[in-house]
Amino acid sequence: MSALIAPSILSADFTRLAEQIEIVTQAGADLLHLDVMDGRFVPNITFGPLVVKAIKRVSRIPLDVHLMIEEPDRYLESFAQAGANTISVHVEACPHLHRTVQQIKSLKVKAGVAVNPSTPVSTLEEILQELDYVLIMTVNPGFGGQEFIRAAAAKIVKVKSMIEFRSLKIPIGVDGGVGPDNADDLLGIGADVLIAGNSIFGASDPRAAITKFREAIARSRRRTA
Ligand code: DX5
Ligand code: ZN
């Protein structure tokens, strides 16, 4: 499968969100990454299902909803109804992760699990076969524009081998500090979804940033062809 680009709207201009979404979509974004934060699981508050629903009305590409909230089970239905195509929950926020994942799938939404930089991917061993998506955090979640944590990216290699060992096909997303400068490396070690906020919406030309990502993806396809 070809790698995908998922701009994170966290760094977008919220006063002109629809326009910014259209710009990145036209430039070749594959998914929109929506960061939901509750001020408890992470030290920041963003938005909830109401905003996801509004974005759904204007977006032509699927919505990848990343829940950085405690007790996500209480809100899964609302986010599914709001139009999420994928919902990712944090392994650190889910004592009954298997149940949470089943609940997401029962809502006909793809189920993802995210792991913080200090959480080992071995926490996914017993749930991997149930997942549609794995999200490797390469910053401590909460804010856009943070520095990429290289040691956390090494987990992409580990989780890739866990997936291949089980003959599964689960895309691996990488979230935090991702930009055209490290895209080649991340694709080279097996990242399938490049999530990027600041390097796209913080750039003077978001279109050009997406083009650079697309070029990195094309290079990686040529390398593996
Ligand atoms: C971090 C969020 C990320 C964030 C990435 O808490 O989960 O999705 O928006 O932003 P950048 O690309 O700016 O690190
Ligand atoms: Zn995110």
Side-chain angles (χ1 to χ4, degrees):
M1 61 194 150
S2 180
L4 305 176
I5 306 169
S8 162
I9 63 155
L10 194 58
S11 297
D13 177 350
F14 279 74
T15 64
R16 24 191 299 266
L17 201 47
E19 195 187 313
Q20 298 225 307
I21 288 170
E22 188 53 30
I23 288 172
V24 294
T25 303
Q26 275 185 20
D30 300 289
L31 309 165
L32 275 187
H33 184 84
L34 307 182
D35 288 309
V36 176
M37 305 185 187
D38 66 353
R40 291 179 62 84
F41 180 69
V42 289
N44 194 8
I45 300 176
T46 55
F47 50 81
L50 194 68
V51 172
V52 174
K53 194 173 173 186
I55 291 171
K56 188 71 182 179
R57 285 207 304 272
V58 298
S59 177
R60 297 186 277 126
I61 54 178
L63 305 185
D64 172 33
V65 174
H66 178 191
L67 296 184
M68 284 158 278
I69 64 176
E70 287 183 358
E71 299 187 64
D73 303 33
R74 295 172 56 196
Y75 302 99
L76 297 175
E77 201 171 338
S78 303
F79 284 105
Q81 280 172 2
N85 297 88
T86 303
I87 295 179
S88 298
V89 294
H90 267 262
V91 64
E92 302 86 0
C94 297
H96 308 290
L97 185 59
H98 187 274
R99 179 186 293 151
T100 306
V101 166
Q102 298 309 332
Q103 206 180 324
I104 297 172
K105 291 180 15 173
S106 75
L107 295 163
K108 307 280 178 255
V109 173
K110 287 186 186 164
V113 169
V115 288
N116 280 338
S118 66
T119 302
V121 285
S122 57
T123 53
L124 302 178
E125 293 261 6
E126 276 69 32
I127 195 73
L128 205 53
Q129 66 197 31
E130 305 294 331
L131 301 185
D132 300 307
Y133 189 34
V134 171
L135 197 51
I136 301 292
M137 295 307 300
T138 40
V139 296
N140 289 296
F143 302 94
Q146 300 183 84
E147 200 179 326
F148 178 78
I149 302 173
R150 187 169 293 278
K155 288 190 290 182
I156 295 171
V157 179
K158 286 189 193 165
V159 82
K160 193 94 187 167
S161 71
M162 285 163 61
I163 290 168
E164 284 173 357
F165 181 73
R166 291 164 177 76
S167 304
L168 298 168
K169 284 196 172 18
I170 306 171
I172 303 170
V174 55
D175 187 11
V178 175
D181 50 334
N182 56 13
D184 286 290
D185 289 350
L186 293 169
L187 293 164
I189 60 172
D192 301 296
V193 184
L194 301 174
I195 295 148
N198 193 50
S199 67
I200 294 177
F201 290 109
S204 54
D205 184 355
R207 278 186 204 87
I210 301 243
T211 302
K212 284 187 197 153
F213 275 112
R214 291 243 76 95
E215 286 166 359
I217 290 171
R219 278 194 293 277
S220 108
R221 283 175 69 96
R222 280 198 296 275
R223 274 197 303 271
T224 53

